[in-house]
Amino acid sequence: MINSQVGVASGSDSINANGYLTTGTNGVIIGNSLSLVSVTGEIGFGVGGAQPLITQANNIVFSAPYSVGISNTSSNLNFGTSTTNGNFYIYQTGNITASGTITAPVLGLYSFTGLTGIGSSTSLVQVNSADVGLQSYGTGSSVYVNDLNTGNSFLQASQASLQAGSTGLGGVFKFNTAGPLSIYAQIDHGGVVTPGQVSAQIIAIQAFDANNSYGIYNDASIVSNDFIFLTASQSAYIAQAATNALMTAPNIALVTGGGAIGAGNQLLLNSGLVAASTSSATGFVNIYDEAANSGIFGGQSGTSFTFNTNGNLTVFGSIGTGAQTSIANSNINLTANGILKLGNTTGIDLTTNNGGIVLQNNNTTAGAIQFAANDLILTKSTSTSSGYVVFNIGTSSQTNTTNPDPANITVQTAGSGKVYFGNNGIASTAPGNVLFADGQNIVFNTGSLAGSAITLGGQVQITADPPATSSSSQMLLNNSFNNNILNSSSNNLINVNT
């Protein structure tokens, strides 16, 4: 144990201990460059209990078989290649950089007053750790860290500065990892979890809050080459900042217990397969996917479910809205600009309670809306302004074809409900498809395209606004929606309940 000042500010010192290396109440190790080695013990956190080693240095390398804890008071601290088999924590007054890799099973980097913080945009701090916490508190300071760990990594409570610096902005938080990443913490960044610029093989982020004031806030790029899984439990939400930040991954799953998915602004994704579910009676889904070939694996919302893309869209799984609420406008709105397919090899269900269904294809040159065999489309509404069903290519129209109705289609109407097939009709295959308009309309419109642009795949059932006593209405009320989320790594299904 060192109980007094050791070293000088301009010096380079090596301190080796066979056992613990600690500083007492008045001890401090000073030097421009320090090499700290413990052969069989800890550096800090040893005989002195929970107290870190007290230093005043500009450069440090360390090595120990057990935990390392350092409290350093210089304005800038650079780490060379350093290793411990235990936990490592640095409590640094100023900025933190690294010219070598810091290796520890559990690692925490804390910069309190540095103007740049931890690393920089051109020189990320290199670490190799399975469990990381990163916090930069200085005004306008940032976090730039790259984790070389290829196994599962966990990012604990972390943040860049929330206070505006000289640029007028708060700090940037950027964390990359070579393997799967999980974030299981309320990261206080204006009251929400803000992962910042995160990239990893697999990303799992979870937020908890019972007061509807916390959630996951997408305000910087989140990138995975495999899978992103965001969970906001209890009444937390998944929100989109106005920064046009993008979540990119082949597969994305979004689940909330109470809050909206796409709160604030439409959630921006680039993904080939998306599952989105909120179990709240008032929660909604609002997503834009910029992928050229987008897919919805399944979805559920308390009120509206909106999914827009500027490319092709395939609905692989069923979507339901409004099952727990009597709120109006629990609509399903799906928009594509290419081929819009409802079901791939098997039929799917689109069901609403107090909502309508609109499928819009904006491609008036080669657009198509294709129904798989056994698709079920069902709306139920107590409002005269809801419960409609519309399948449209180009500009919306309610022009009817001349009789008879297209082949392989049975039309039933009741009340004021009507079925419209547009100027050019639609195409369908046997066995028969059944359309039932009871109090609200079913509208097909291919615009300037031939009727073959909209096809029913056989045994398709479409019902608009059924009465509360009908069997189809009861089917909706009794429907139990299972949100099965694709595990892209193993191609198995994970059943997620919130």
Side-chain angles (χ1 to χ4, degrees):
M1 178 180 291
I2 298 173
N3 285 311
S4 60
Q5 177 177 308
V6 174
V8 294
S10 59
S12 297
D13 296 305
S14 297
I15 299 179
N16 296 274
N18 188 51
Y20 294 105
L21 176 56
T22 62
T23 47
T25 303
N26 298 313
V28 58
I29 303 173
I30 299 175
N32 178 57
S33 297
L34 299 178
S35 174
L36 308 172
V37 177
S38 175
V39 178
T40 61
E42 298 178 336
I43 297 176
F45 301 147
V47 176
Q51 177 178 307
L53 190 75
I54 307 300
T55 62
Q56 182 181 325
N58 297 319
N59 301 276
I60 292 178
V61 296
F62 64 81
S63 176
Y66 300 110
S67 294
V68 175
I70 299 172
S71 178
N72 189 71
T73 58
S74 68
S75 58
N76 295 283
L77 174 61
N78 180 77
F79 282 98
T81 299
S82 301
T83 304
T84 176
N85 294 325
N87 301 343
F88 167 63
Y89 298 96
I90 174 65
Y91 308 97
Q92 161 65 3
T93 299
N95 305 310
I96 299 173
T97 59
S99 55
T101 300
I102 307 170
T103 301
V106 178
L107 179 148
L109 306 179
Y110 305 94
S111 170
F112 293 100
T113 61
L115 296 179
T116 57
I118 301 172
S120 69
S121 60
T122 57
S123 183
L124 278 68
V125 172
Q126 305 294 315
V127 303
N128 191 333
S129 178
D131 196 327
V132 180
L134 309 165
Q135 297 193 10
S136 178
Y137 297 98
T139 300
S141 61
S142 298
V143 172
Y144 292 94
V145 173
N146 182 57
D147 191 354
L148 302 175
N149 178 45
T150 57
N152 295 314
S153 294
F154 294 87
L155 182 63
Q156 304 296 340
S158 300
Q159 72 170 54
S161 173
L162 307 183
Q163 299 173 312
S166 58
T167 62
L169 301 173
V172 172
F173 186 93
K174 183 171 184 177
F175 182 74
N176 302 332
T177 182
L181 171 66
S182 296
I183 305 177
Y184 294 134
Q186 285 189 9
I187 302 175
D188 188 4
H189 192 96
V192 293
V193 174
T194 53
Q197 300 177 43
V198 178
S199 63
Q201 178 192 357
I202 299 174
I203 299 173
I205 303 174
Q206 189 166 17
F208 304 89
D209 186 63
N211 300 314
N212 205 30
S213 58
Y214 284 88
I216 300 171
Y217 195 57
N218 185 36
D219 69 348
S221 63
I222 304 174
V223 180
S224 167
N225 59 14
D226 192 350
F227 190 61
I228 294 176
F229 186 14
L230 307 186
T231 305
S233 300
Q234 299 178 34
S235 58
Y237 53 81
I238 299 174
Q240 175 72 39
T243 57
N244 294 324
L246 193 66
M247 277 188 276
T248 302
N251 306 280
I252 296 178
L254 309 167
V255 179
T256 71
I261 298 173
N265 297 281
Q266 198 170 46
L267 198 64
L268 302 180
L269 311 179
N270 186 336
S271 178
L273 192 60
V274 179
S277 175
T278 174
S279 58
S280 167
T282 58
F284 60 84
V285 173
N286 189 14
I287 292 172
Y288 177 80
D289 188 358
E290 71 170 25
N293 294 287
S294 182
I296 305 175
F297 189 70
Q300 173 180 286
S301 65
T303 57
S304 61
F305 188 102
T306 301
F307 193 101
N308 298 323
T309 181
N310 198 39
N312 301 318
L313 174 61
T314 301
V315 182
F316 293 95
S318 298
I319 301 172
T321 67
Q324 303 177 53
T325 183
S326 59
I327 297 175
N329 300 319
S330 297
N331 305 320
I332 295 176
N333 297 287
L334 308 179
T335 303
N337 191 21
I339 307 300
L340 200 167
K341 298 175 64 176
L342 291 180
N344 191 19
T345 57
T346 59
I348 56 92
D349 296 353
L350 299 183
T351 57
T352 69
N353 185 41
N354 279 300
I357 295 176
V358 176
L359 272 63
Q360 174 71 33
N361 196 322
N362 293 322
N363 189 324
T364 58
T365 303
I369 299 175
Q370 301 171 353
F371 293 76
N374 301 304
D375 278 348
L376 172 66
I377 314 298
L378 175 63
T379 65
K380 173 185 177 293
S381 179
T382 58
S383 170
T384 57
S385 62
S386 188
Y388 47 82
V389 179
V390 178
F391 309 103
N392 189 66
I393 299 177
T395 304
S396 180
S397 171
Q398 288 191 336
T399 304
N400 206 355
T401 57
T402 59
N403 289 327
D405 294 328
N408 302 313
I409 293 177
T410 298
V411 173
Q412 299 175 345
T413 62
S416 60
K418 297 182 182 299
V419 178
Y420 296 97
F421 292 104
N423 289 322
N424 301 317
I426 65 172
S428 61
T429 60
N433 305 273
V434 179
L435 313 179
F436 179 32
D438 182 1
Q440 277 291 357
N441 298 334
I442 299 173
V443 178
F444 298 92
N445 173 42
T446 64
S448 60
L449 300 180
S452 58
I454 296 179
T455 57
L456 306 185
Q459 293 188 314
V460 173
Q461 299 180 52
I462 301 175
T463 304
D465 195 29
T469 57
S470 75
S471 59
S472 56
S473 175
Q474 197 62 38
M475 185 190 310
L476 171 62
L477 294 176
N478 293 337
N479 180 47
S480 176
F481 182 85
N482 291 321
N483 181 31
N484 295 310
I485 294 177
L486 179 67
N487 182 333
S488 62
S489 298
S490 62
N491 292 323
N492 293 324
L493 293 177
I494 303 172
N495 189 46
V496 176
N497 296 311
T498 53

